[in-house]
Every structure is written in structure tokens, then in C-alpha cells.
Amino acid sequence: MTVPGESTQEQWVDDNAGPVVRPYAVTRGRARPVTGTFDLISLVTATRSEVPAEVGLGPEHLAIVLLCQRIQSVAEVAAHLDLPVGTIRVLLGDLAARDLVEVREPRATAGLPDDSIFEAVINGLRAL
């Protein structure tokens, strides 16, 4: 829908942000990464300081590698690049498959009670 008095160019370009690119265009329509699941607190680090020019790597891929020269969480990467976490997960899958980033998943904490215990506590509290 066009606003009266606004050209199509003005609708798709922001002076500060540049052209608007939808997240599905960045991932080429993919909703899931080719490898990995990438928890929000998974830690990402680049394996190389320079990225070879490869077919299939976009500017967002290169931005992730540059950003991850220092360890970042998946959530931090999404925040810094102002992209949805789902989009970042797809891009990280591409980079991990090419060994351009290393992703360390959070460790499972041993000794935590089963969810059934929490449910029993909640049910007990409700019964009061």
C-alpha cells in the first residue's frame, strides 16, 4: 500500500538504514540451519581472521565472522547485527558447515531436578 505523496523508492529505503531487506531474503527462504541448533547462550567464535571469497556467503555472513573475532553469544550476534535470532541461526549453520565459526553449546548442568518435581511443587502450591 502506498501512502499518498510517497514514492515507491521512499517506501523501501531509509536514510539511516539503507535499503530494507527482509530476513527471509538474507537466508534465501531457509528457516532452519543446515547444521546445529544454536541455543541463545551458545558461544560463537570465528576460526579465521579473514574470510575467503566463497560463493554463497553474503555480507551478513562476513559481518558475523568479523564480529565473532571475540567470543559472542548467539543472542549478542543477533543484537549487534539487528537481525532476528532465527536468521542468525541459519547464517551460523552456513558458517559452521564451512568451518568459519566454532559454536560451543552450553553445558548441561548435572544434578538439576527433573521437570516433574517442579510441576509437583507448582501443583502443591496451587492446592494451598
Side-chain angles (χ1 to χ4, degrees):
M1 178 177 180
T2 327
V3 176
E6 184 177 287
S7 72
T8 307
Q9 178 67 20
E10 291 175 38
Q11 192 176 20
W12 291 103
V13 176
D14 181 324
D15 289 336
N16 297 324
V20 176
V21 178
R22 301 286 180 222
Y24 61 81
V26 173
T27 63
R28 294 184 202 105
R30 297 172 294 149
R32 291 196 167 82
V34 292
T35 183
T37 54
F38 311 115
D39 192 276
L40 283 175
I41 59 173
S42 297
L43 298 177
V44 184
T45 186
T47 58
R48 301 178 190 167
S49 59
E50 294 184 19
V51 181
E54 290 187 33
V55 175
L57 291 182
E60 295 81 9
H61 290 99
L62 303 177
I64 291 172
V65 173
L66 181 63
L67 179 65
C68 292
Q69 294 301 310
R70 289 185 39 219
I71 294 175
Q72 305 281 329
S73 70
V74 172
E76 289 173 312
V77 173
H80 284 293
L81 298 181
D82 197 26
L83 286 171
V85 173
T87 301
I88 294 298
R89 286 178 172 144
V90 172
L91 298 175
L92 285 173
D94 297 343
L95 294 170
R98 290 184 165 113
D99 293 323
L100 294 173
V101 296
E102 178 184 329
V103 181
R104 288 183 236 142
E105 298 294 334
R107 293 182 192 166
T109 307
L112 282 181
D114 190 307
D115 286 346
S116 62
I117 293 175
F118 292 118
E119 290 175 18
V121 169
I122 290 170
N123 291 336
L125 291 172
R126 285 184 183 150
L128 293 176

